[in-house]
Amino acid sequence: VQLVESGGGLVQPGGSLRLSCAASGFTFSNNYMRWARQAPGKGLEWVSIISDDGSFTSYVDSIKGRFTVSRDNEKSTQYLQMNSLKSEDTGLYYCATGVPQYGLGTPPDFAEGYWGQGTQVTVSS
């Protein structure tokens, strides 16, 4: 299993970024996918979940209405469109799969599932 995130960078508050997660080594269309993030000096938190066919999505409250998760099963890629970015969105963003089927309120654990290497998002003026 390989997950490769891209699309991070430096953006001003109020700006937008789109993260991508390219997957390989497993049947992408059969798997739920997640995004998680870790802000400087803080713990890892879940950001979103998307079902295998994209029909179900869930978001952490802090990003609802600003971020949108999607996927393209033909391209084996998951996306996170991030709009109206705030300084508190700064952090390392990870793509994950194979995680036990618990909700966003259960803290992530790198020991569970498969994870990418992360892509840095910095929101600053």
Side-chain angles (χ1 to χ4, degrees), residues 17-61:
L17 283 174
R18 188 176 83 152
L19 305 184
S20 298
C21 170
S24 60
F26 65 103
T27 305
F28 182 78
S29 59
N30 288 350
N31 283 264
Y32 277 51
M33 298 295 296
R34 296 179 181 235
W35 286 100
R37 68 184 179 183
Q38 187 163 27
K42 296 189 177 181
L44 197 59
E45 69 167 347
W46 292 118
V47 173
S48 67
I49 301 173
I50 186 167
S51 62
D52 50 1
D53 64 357
S55 62
F56 167 80
T57 58
S58 183
Y59 301 93
V60 68
D61 286 346

Side-chain angles (χ1 to χ4, degrees), residues 51-99:
S51 62
D52 50 1
D53 64 357
S55 62
F56 167 80
T57 58
S58 183
Y59 301 93
V60 68
D61 286 346
S62 61
I63 60 94
K64 283 181 180 178
R66 299 188 297 121
F67 291 12
T68 303
V69 64
S70 62
R71 63 191 295 160
D72 185 336
N73 285 348
E74 293 298 318
K75 296 182 178 180
S76 296
T77 302
Q78 177 189 210
Y79 304 99
L80 186 66
Q81 178 67 44
M82 306 187 296
N83 299 328
S84 302
L85 283 160
K86 305 176 181 180
S87 58
E88 51 264 43
D89 295 317
T90 293
L92 197 55
Y93 283 70
Y94 297 93
C95 175
T97 194
V99 175

Side-chain angles (χ1 to χ4, degrees), residues 1-5 21-24 26 33 95-97 114-117:
V1 173
Q2 187 173 21
L3 300 171
V4 180
E5 302 95 335
C21 170
S24 60
F26 65 103
M33 298 295 296
C95 175
T97 194
Y114 300 93
W115 293 75
Q117 82 291 345

Side-chain angles (χ1 to χ4, degrees), residues 98-115:
V99 175
Q101 292 290 326
Y102 46 61
L104 296 177
T106 302
D109 184 346
F110 283 124
E112 295 179 324
Y114 300 93
W115 293 75

